[in-house]
Amino acid sequence: MSSARQRFNTQMKKRIYWVLLLLSAVGVVSACMLTLTVAMQYSMRQAEQMICDLTDTISASYSYMEQEAYLEMLACLPDNVRATFITDDGTVLYDSDATESEMENHFGRPEIQEAMEQGWGEDIRRSATTSISSYYYAVRLTDGSILRLSRSYSSIRGMVVGALPGIAVILLLLFGMALYFSRRLTRWMIRPVERAVRALDHNEEGGAMYDELTPFVSHIRAQDQQIHDQRVTLEQERETLGIITNSMREGLMLISKDKTIIFINPSAISMLTGRKADVYEFQGHSYLLVNRTSELHECVMAAMEGDSRDEVFTLYGKIYHVYASPMMRMGQVHGVVVIVLDETQQRLAERSRREFSANVSHELKTPLTSISGYAEMMENGMVSSMDDIRVFSASIHKEALRLIALIEDIIRLSRIEESPRQTEELQAVSLNELCAAVAESLQPVAQKANVQLHLEGSVPPIAGAEAMLSEMVYNLCENAIKYNRPNGAVWLTLTDGDGEIEVKVRDTGIGIPEESQMRVFERFYRVDKSRSKQIGGTGLGLSIVKHVVEYHLGRIELDSALGSGTEIRVYLPK
């Protein structure tokens, strides 16, 4: 505000200075022109009076002198005075500026006519002989002849023009004085305003020498305070709005009526361009610079017509839902508000829930169908011997155990997914003891499958949920045993890495095809469904492993080749 007032003060000072200087210059020039005009008129009147007086004086001596002596006296007159002696019939006997014989008869001249009639006459005209504008004064002499004296106005003007250098010097002096006094007067006039400005800048009372400025200063001070309060409020609101929009996970973009970007937040840039960039790279440019997806373009065009529109599209491997609504003002569309939502996780979760429901229904239906079939056969008396009863009962028991295992895995998986990670519930877990216990519990299973289970390495304790980690290691080792070859081997290796612990399970089993390696951690996914049914797998083991690793903020990697075995590495932070 201080700089703005300073600029205003400077501009006002310049304006006052130039106005005063212009008025002074106009006054000086006008005064000089008026003085020249008056001087010119005065000089002309003086010259005319001088001609009249000189003519009357010379004419009075005509009666005492002879004509030749009289003409010689006329020849002695000043050069700027033209003397003409004319007879009573208009013949020119003498002229100081021309040859008498070449001059025409002057009887018809106005001043001659007047002199003949009343004794004297005068006229102002352009001379036919000299082609110069002159003043003529004629007097009738005692013998009836005419004496005429004249003086050209050019000589009068020449006298005035000769005075122009002096006048120019005076004009320059006056203009210099105008410059000086304009500057001094400007400073004197602006000093109270400057004092008032300083008082406004330093929030002081008074400051103006002019009483007329006091209401003006008070009003400015009140407006200044009001503007300051509004500016602080606007800055706070803008800062708050900036924090909100920049922190939004949703993308927000405002598009003007001419389809240029008014505002765009970092989330919208990241979603629509697939990279991080400065917002100023896009503001003021067409929204097509951000993204040219047809769905986005159709939504914006519909909103420009006054209709809200939303579309779903896939971009850079993610699923986005874009909403476009018109910005209305006085019933007219002045722009478009675009909101972009990342619905990738939501839609994947919905798809996962649908698949989970379908898979659970299918997995539960298969053993229940077998149990129902065997029970129906026994109910209808289709079993005739105890051997058949034992076979059917064993099948029912096997399917029931499969159902129980499936339900327990579903419960465990749901418990892990729904349990939020709470740091205070984590405890120190010795992976050495945990893996040794798991290996010992799986020895009977390994012996039955004719597989060697080896435990290697030693690591320090980590913070974690012991039950989840135990189930993770158990599922990895159990899968390695189940999908191994006869006389195969499984290695459970613990490695102390840089900032993390590696739990590695490697086997010499049948391996996993490359096209299935990305899906083995999905629920109910089986590489070989027939083999899974033979060994009693539920398809949830590796899904449970994945969720346990995510719960512990770790990561999991898989390397496998069909027929060459599988290696799964789990990295847990220390």
Side-chain angles (χ1 to χ4, degrees), residues 51 96 165 191 203 249 341-342 394 410 425 477-478 491 543:
I51 292 297
S96 61
R191 188 177 298 117
N203 199 21
R249 294 177 58 188
L341 303 179
D342 186 354
I410 292 173
E425 293 184 358
C477 293
E478 185 183 31
W491 289 270
S543 182

Side-chain angles (χ1 to χ4, degrees), residues 512-513 516-518 520-521 542 556-561 566-569:
I512 302 173
S516 299
Q517 292 180 12
M518 297 298 295
V520 292
F521 295 102
L542 289 181
I556 188 169
E557 296 178 355
L558 182 146
D559 287 327
S560 182
T566 301
E567 179 179 290
I568 297 179
R569 297 178 298 277

Side-chain angles (χ1 to χ4, degrees), residues 14-62:
K14 288 181 178 179
R15 188 176 292 112
I16 293 175
Y17 172 74
W18 284 110
V19 168
L20 290 176
L21 184 61
L22 180 61
L23 291 175
S24 301
V26 170
V28 169
V29 172
S30 300
C32 289
M33 295 295 294
L34 183 61
T35 302
L36 283 174
T37 303
V38 172
M40 179 74 72
Q41 293 297 326
Y42 179 77
S43 298
M44 291 174 64
R45 299 286 81 80
Q46 287 291 100
E48 292 172 1
Q49 186 62 42
M50 184 269 292
I51 292 297
C52 293
D53 294 341
L54 183 60
T55 304
D56 292 338
T57 302
I58 296 175
S59 64
S61 62
Y62 179 72

Side-chain angles (χ1 to χ4, degrees), residues 63-101:
S63 58
Y64 303 104
M65 299 178 65
E66 294 182 358
Q67 190 177 47
E68 293 181 0
Y70 193 77
L71 294 178
E72 291 177 358
M73 182 184 68
L74 292 180
C76 296
L77 292 176
D79 293 339
N80 59 355
V81 177
R82 179 185 177 186
T84 307
F85 190 80
I86 306 167
T87 63
D88 56 357
D89 60 356
T91 303
V92 178
L93 296 179
Y94 173 78
D95 191 276
S96 61
D97 290 350
T99 304
E100 297 83 359
S101 60

Side-chain angles (χ1 to χ4, degrees), residues 429-479:
V429 178
S430 174
L431 290 179
N432 300 329
E433 298 177 0
L434 185 147
C435 291
V438 170
E440 184 178 355
S441 65
L442 285 174
Q443 282 299 333
V445 179
Q447 291 176 2
K448 184 177 179 180
N450 195 18
V451 174
Q452 297 293 323
L453 179 59
H454 305 281
L455 174 61
E456 300 175 347
S458 176
V459 294
I462 65 169
E466 185 173 2
M468 291 185 183
L469 292 173
S470 177
E471 188 165 8
M472 177 193 74
V473 177
Y474 186 92
N475 286 345
L476 289 175
C477 293
E478 185 183 31
N479 278 357

Side-chain angles (χ1 to χ4, degrees), residues 76-141:
C76 296
L77 292 176
D79 293 339
N80 59 355
V81 177
R82 179 185 177 186
T84 307
F85 190 80
I86 306 167
T87 63
D88 56 357
D89 60 356
T91 303
V92 178
L93 296 179
Y94 173 78
D95 191 276
S96 61
D97 290 350
T99 304
E100 297 83 359
S101 60
E102 297 177 357
M103 297 179 66
E104 61 182 7
N105 190 283
H106 278 41
F107 188 79
R109 300 292 193 270
E111 68 276 10
I112 303 300
Q113 291 290 326
E114 289 182 3
M116 291 291 187
E117 294 177 0
Q118 59 184 18
W120 65 274
E122 62 179 353
D123 190 27
I124 298 174
R125 69 176 183 276
R126 188 179 185 86
S127 173
T129 303
T130 61
S131 299
I132 298 174
S133 181
S134 303
Y135 172 75
Y136 297 92
Y137 185 77
V139 176
R140 187 181 63 201
L141 303 177

Side-chain angles (χ1 to χ4, degrees), residues 364-404:
L364 292 177
K365 182 179 179 181
T366 301
L368 285 176
T369 301
S370 299
I371 292 173
S372 176
Y374 289 133
E376 184 179 2
M377 292 174 64
M378 295 175 64
E379 180 185 9
N380 293 332
M382 297 177 65
V383 182
S384 58
S385 63
M386 290 301 297
D387 293 336
D388 292 337
I389 292 176
R390 282 193 295 271
V391 172
F392 283 12
S393 299
S395 298
I396 292 173
H397 182 254
K398 179 181 177 182
E399 296 298 333
L401 291 177
R402 182 181 173 191
L403 275 176
I404 292 172

Side-chain angles (χ1 to χ4, degrees), residues 119-228:
W120 65 274
E122 62 179 353
D123 190 27
I124 298 174
R125 69 176 183 276
R126 188 179 185 86
S127 173
T129 303
T130 61
S131 299
I132 298 174
S133 181
S134 303
Y135 172 75
Y136 297 92
Y137 185 77
V139 176
R140 187 181 63 201
L141 303 177
T142 55
D143 60 356
S145 58
I146 303 296
L147 173 63
R148 187 187 71 179
L149 298 183
S150 66
R151 186 173 181 178
S152 66
Y153 284 117
S154 60
S155 63
I156 300 173
R157 294 190 188 94
M159 180 180 62
V160 175
V161 170
L164 283 180
I167 296 175
V169 172
I170 295 174
L171 184 64
L172 290 175
L173 290 175
L174 290 176
F175 192 72
M177 293 175 64
L179 284 174
Y180 174 76
F181 284 110
S182 295
R183 184 170 301 165
R184 292 294 300 271
L185 186 59
T186 300
R187 291 178 180 176
W188 178 78
M189 294 177 64
I190 207 69
R191 188 177 298 117
V193 179
E194 290 178 341
R195 185 176 298 176
V197 170
R198 286 194 297 270
L200 288 173
D201 289 338
H202 296 87
N203 199 21
E204 299 173 354
E205 293 296 332
M209 291 191 303
Y210 300 147
D211 293 337
E212 294 81 2
L213 287 178
T214 301
F216 176 69
V217 172
S218 300
H219 184 66
I220 289 180
R221 183 178 286 110
Q223 286 190 337
D224 191 16
Q225 183 62 39
Q226 183 179 2
I227 292 172
H228 178 267

